[in-house]
Amino acid sequence: MKKRALISVSDKTGVAAFAKALEDLGYEVVSTGGTAKALADAGVAVTGISDITGFPECLDGRVKTLHPKVHAGILAIRSNAEHMRQIKELGVTPIDIVAINLYPFKETILKPGVSLEEAIENIDIGGPSMIRGAAKNWQDVAVVIDPTDYAVVLDELRQNGAVSRETKFRLAAKVFEHTAQYDALIADYLRKARGDHSLPDALTLTFEKRQEMRYGENPHQPAAFYTEVGAPSNTLAAAKQLHGKELSYNNINDANGALDLLKEFGEAVPTAVAVKHANPCGVATGATLMEAYQRAYEADPVSIYGGIVALNRVVDVPTATELAKIFLEILIAPGFEPEALAILEKKKNIRLLELPDLAKPNDPETLDMRKVVGGLLVQKLDTFLLDENDLKCVTKRQPTPEELDELHFIWRVVKHTKSNGIALSKNHQTVGIGPGQTNRITALELAIKYGGEHVKGSVMGSDAFFPFSDCVEAAQKAGITAIIQPGGSIRDEDSIKAADAAGIAMVFTGYRHFKH
């Protein structure tokens, strides 16, 4: 019996050559709609799907392959005598190769201004049914959804007269990965189209591999970088790498932290953020970008070495000249002047990332996810900073306008410092940061140690309340003049009394920013 191949593709890359090769190998080529025309135009003898089903394509092509003579031909198990008896009786010819790729739903929804109607029209119905059927019957049917697999199938047919079980099983598994992503994209799109921003009872996520990595957090851990379909233009997934080695797992994790912190400052004032191991080590603003970077560097010239710097202005020559003086892993900026880029490209090991929309705020509906063994923690991204109406001075001394402005600055920084986190600043420049400690007093002591003589006259931000008065007492000894913290401890009064005794102004925000 002559073998039969069913071909119906949206992506017509290489399909004419594939079909012609199958024809030369003795296959009857069956096709539909636009694919049939493209193959016929390429000189392939094509049998139309209506000639197989005895039923015309209808409803603008919505119905053409949903027919027993198609699906029975795909699903019949060749080793099952009863199956073969039934299809013979019904006049069904087995289909041995199914080459289908689906309507371009992803490409459609990524187009600017796409309508709901256009998106829905690009939801494939018959295609998924056929490739799933072929994948289910993988022992007997080779299913090809990716043009890059055409060559493998043809090579095996030419060499062995058949596609190997191993290859057919691999292709079948690929189908279910593909349809899972396809359906997940549709479900996600429709949820958003409905304006539904709740956390669903069943969460199905889909990502695409951007980069295979040499290793993960440590050399013994395999890793890869996956990006969201349609990732926003202000995220690391949209960054263009201009220079340097591929980003590592830790590079991407740390760079994401730098971007999130930089977004807190927008574009109003030149700002520089230096990050090491996902924690800020130097943050500053300046009259110029070079001044902002110099001040961020001076905030902690030891920790910044080998770190990541994010800037909210196009890098100019003076800034590039300063940046080139030390070793940095990554520099992220909205752009680079040509001369500045030439200076930095002389540094072999620096990775330069261009992200024009980097200062654009994150969407508050963005999901923040963390994998745990056996599960997934999901929350909405922490895009909130504070509510001015909820700011409350709880001490006898009110902060001066200058102190209040500085408290706003340091609250942005401590929000992105790992808990327990303390950050100190003066004149919109961090002077000491104590991240990720198991208690708050140790975090403060670390920040004071980093700051040294610059701590006197600074302000302090804490990511959570003070359960004891010890932090306020340590702040007094160090010369800190004002404090911003969430409040909410049952022992708030102890800290308030200590601040009053020290003449320190203390402001409660009513909101905490834990970061674990």
Side-chain angles (χ1 to χ4, degrees):
M1 182 185 294
K2 191 172 186 177
K3 288 188 174 290
R4 177 175 279 179
L6 172 58
I7 303 176
S8 180
V9 293
S10 294
D11 178 0
K12 293 178 174 55
T13 304
V15 71
F18 180 60
K20 185 62 179 172
L22 289 176
E23 185 181 41
D24 292 343
L25 288 165
Y27 280 78
E28 177 192 9
V29 175
V30 178
S31 192
T32 66
T35 304
K37 183 179 185 305
L39 296 182
D41 289 347
V44 179
V46 180
T47 301
I49 195 70
S50 295
D51 296 327
I52 302 300
T53 64
F55 199 90
E57 297 186 27
C58 61
L59 306 182
D60 298 319
R62 283 187 166 199
V63 178
K64 47 184 177 278
T65 59
L66 296 169
H67 194 280
K69 287 198 173 182
V70 174
H71 289 276
I74 293 171
L75 284 161
I77 299 173
R78 310 310 193 251
S79 61
N80 186 314
E82 182 60 19
H83 280 199
M84 300 311 289
R85 184 195 66 76
Q86 286 184 40
I87 66 168
K88 183 178 180 180
E89 185 178 287
L90 295 168
V92 173
T93 300
I95 295 173
D96 306 285
I97 294 177
V98 172
I100 291 176
N101 48 61
L102 307 180
Y103 291 175
F105 182 80
K106 179 181 75 172
E107 293 77 9
T108 300
I109 62 173
L110 291 179
K111 292 190 300 186
V114 65
S115 67
L116 176 63
E117 291 74 17
E118 184 180 358
I120 288 178
E121 200 57 37
N122 277 276
I123 297 174
D124 205 328
I125 303 300
S129 298
M130 287 186 289
I131 61 176
R132 286 173 64 89
K136 178 175 180 175
N137 200 24
W138 65 272
Q139 298 95 329
D140 296 316
V141 183
V143 55
V144 190
I145 60 170
D146 184 348
T148 62
D149 289 316
Y150 291 161
V152 175
V153 170
L154 290 175
D155 286 346
E156 293 191 6
L157 288 173
R158 287 169 179 146
Q159 292 174 22
N160 309 313
V163 182
S164 68
R165 283 175 59 86
E166 180 184 13
T167 296
K168 286 191 288 190
F169 192 55
R170 177 181 67 82
L171 295 175
K174 196 169 182 175
V175 164
F176 290 108
E177 289 177 357
H178 183 61
T179 57
Q181 183 195 42
Y182 195 79
D183 287 340
L185 285 174
I186 294 169
D188 182 63
Y189 175 81
L190 295 178
R191 277 176 52 78
K192 290 175 180 175
R194 289 167 45 224
D196 185 353
H197 300 296
S198 63
L199 297 177
D201 292 335
L203 178 64
T204 305
L205 304 170
T206 179
F207 297 86
E208 296 181 340
K209 187 187 286 184
R210 166 72 66 83
Q211 177 189 335
E212 194 82 40
M213 295 176 164
R214 287 190 300 137
Y215 55 82
E217 243 178 329
N218 298 290
H220 60 274
Q221 294 173 269
F225 178 40
Y226 290 82
T227 58
E228 294 179 46
V229 173
S233 64
N234 64 336
T235 63
L236 197 59
K240 179 180 179 182
Q241 186 166 350
L242 304 179
H243 174 73
K245 298 181 294 184
E246 281 192 338
L247 298 175
S248 71
Y249 180 99
N250 291 329
N251 286 158
I252 291 173
N253 187 52
D254 293 354
N256 184 70
L259 279 180
D260 281 350
L261 174 48
L262 188 65
K263 290 178 190 299
E264 299 289 353
F265 293 90
E267 299 176 285
V269 180
T271 305
V273 170
V275 165
K276 192 71 169 288
H277 301 316
N279 274 303
C281 59
V283 183
T285 62
T288 65
L289 187 65
M290 183 179 74
E291 182 186 3
Y293 166 68
Q294 285 178 321
R295 299 183 78 228
Y297 168 80
E298 290 163 0
D300 189 347
V302 175
S303 297
I304 195 174
Y305 183 86
I308 292 170
V309 170
L311 307 171
N312 69 346
R313 292 284 191 281
V314 171
V315 178
D316 52 23
V317 170
T319 308
T321 302
E322 288 300 309
L323 287 160
K325 290 180 180 178
I326 65 167
F327 167 59
L328 294 171
E329 285 276 3
I330 299 174
L331 174 61
I332 316 170
F336 298 81
E337 292 181 356
E339 297 84 355
L341 183 61
I343 291 170
L344 292 166
E345 284 178 334
K346 293 176 183 177
K347 304 278 288 185
K348 179 181 177 182
N349 292 322
I350 193 171
R351 298 159 172 92
L352 303 177
L353 301 182
E354 182 180 66
L355 186 59
D357 290 340
L358 89 176
K360 183 180 175 182
N362 285 320
D363 183 345
E365 297 303 329
T366 301
L367 294 183
D368 183 18
M369 294 170 278
R370 181 170 302 180
K371 184 74 177 69
V372 295
V373 178
L376 184 71
L377 290 170
V378 180
Q379 62 180 350
K380 294 292 179 70
L381 193 65
D382 185 9
T383 58
F384 177 79
L385 184 65
L386 55 77
D387 186 334
E388 296 287 346
N389 295 322
D390 290 327
L391 283 182
K392 179 182 179 183
C393 181
V394 295
T395 51
K396 294 175 182 176
R397 186 173 83 77
Q398 299 282 319
T400 65
E402 293 76 18
E403 284 176 325
L404 188 59
D405 179 58
E406 194 70 33
L407 291 172
H408 278 77
F409 173 88
I410 203 60
W411 189 244
R412 290 179 170 89
V413 177
V414 80
K415 173 186 171 182
H416 295 274
T417 303
K418 295 288 181 69
S419 302
N420 289 311
I422 295 285
L424 312 176
S425 72
K426 186 162 54 178
N427 300 322
H428 287 200
Q429 176 191 36
T430 56
V431 297
I433 299 174
Q437 301 304 303
T438 53
N439 61 74
R440 206 152 300 283
I441 186 63
T442 301
L444 176 56
E445 290 168 349
L446 186 59
I448 291 170
K449 179 182 177 182
Y450 274 123
E453 62 184 18
H454 301 293
V455 172
K456 188 174 183 180
S458 68
V459 305
M460 175 170 71
S462 171
D463 67 332
F465 56 64
F466 297 143
F468 306 104
S469 61
D470 51 1
C471 284
V472 177
E473 292 160 359
Q476 177 189 14
K477 292 177 183 177
I480 293 166
T481 67
I483 297 170
I484 187 168
Q485 57 129 318
S489 169
I490 60 172
R491 301 184 64 174
D492 276 344
E493 195 59 36
D494 292 351
S495 294
I496 294 169
K497 288 179 179 177
D500 282 337
I504 292 174
M506 187 157 64
V507 173
F508 284 2
T509 66
Y511 297 89
R512 73 185 190 198
H513 289 293
F514 282 170
K515 189 175 179 66
H516 295 105

